[in-house]
Amino acid sequence: MFHYTVETNQSIEEAIASLENNLKEEKFGVLWHLDMQEKLREKGVDFDQRYHILEVCNPVEAKRVLSENAIVGYFLPCKITVYEDQGKTKIGLPKPTALIGMVDSGALQGIAEDVEKRLVSCIDKTVRS
């Protein structure tokens, strides 16, 4: 699977707030928060699903991967989505290891594994809180 997705009983707002706190503990910050439903409404498009995209970054890790291979910037920043699906809140991300696998670099694979482990941990802590 190229992604990691879990379900929580929290509201979208609760999940995002908890996730942001958990990300801070791992030195990741939210660079941008897109409320897709609201943005599409602004553009005159009806979209009934609540869908949020958080672009997150750890500057030290970003520097490490970009210093190794500039093309990895195509995958940055990391994205975490929080959305409603059939009345449930879901949180997910594309796995950094799956994305880095497209670059074919052993050095980057180790970094991607570490980043993925930390982001998944943040999501899992959010679900448990």
Side-chain angles (χ1 to χ4, degrees):
M1 295 274 263
F2 85 95
H3 67 95
Y4 178 77
T5 305
V6 295
E7 193 174 280
T8 178
N9 290 324
Q10 298 175 25
S11 71
I12 286 178
E13 294 77 16
E14 291 167 335
I16 290 171
S18 178
L19 183 59
E20 287 176 339
N21 287 330
N22 294 331
L23 288 165
K24 283 180 190 173
E25 290 176 14
E26 287 292 336
K27 308 287 191 248
F28 283 86
V30 176
L31 302 175
W32 189 52
H33 175 169
L34 173 64
D35 179 339
M36 185 62 82
Q37 184 182 39
E38 182 60 32
K39 182 55 74 177
L40 291 176
R41 274 193 194 129
E42 286 176 17
K43 304 294 182 186
V45 177
D46 288 330
F47 184 66
D48 293 333
Q49 186 179 16
R50 297 183 67 206
Y51 205 102
H52 295 258
I53 301 169
L54 308 177
E55 291 197 340
V56 304
C57 182
N58 175 305
V60 172
E61 300 300 347
K63 179 184 176 192
R64 283 177 65 197
V65 296
L66 289 170
S67 296
E68 184 72 32
N69 187 333
I71 203 166
V72 175
Y74 296 178
F75 309 137
L76 299 179
C78 296
K79 290 181 177 45
I80 298 178
T81 60
V82 182
Y83 60 100
E84 192 173 84
D85 184 32
Q86 299 179 5
K88 292 288 188 177
T89 300
K90 293 191 177 180
I91 306 170
L93 78 156
K95 290 182 176 180
T97 54
L99 297 172
I100 289 296
M102 292 187 254
V103 178
D104 194 28
S105 168
L108 289 173
Q109 192 65 32
I111 298 169
E113 287 171 4
D114 178 57
V115 168
E116 182 175 308
K117 183 178 121 192
R118 291 163 65 194
L119 292 176
V120 165
S121 173
C122 290
I123 290 171
D124 288 346
K125 284 180 190 174
T126 298
V127 171
R128 289 192 304 263
S129 62

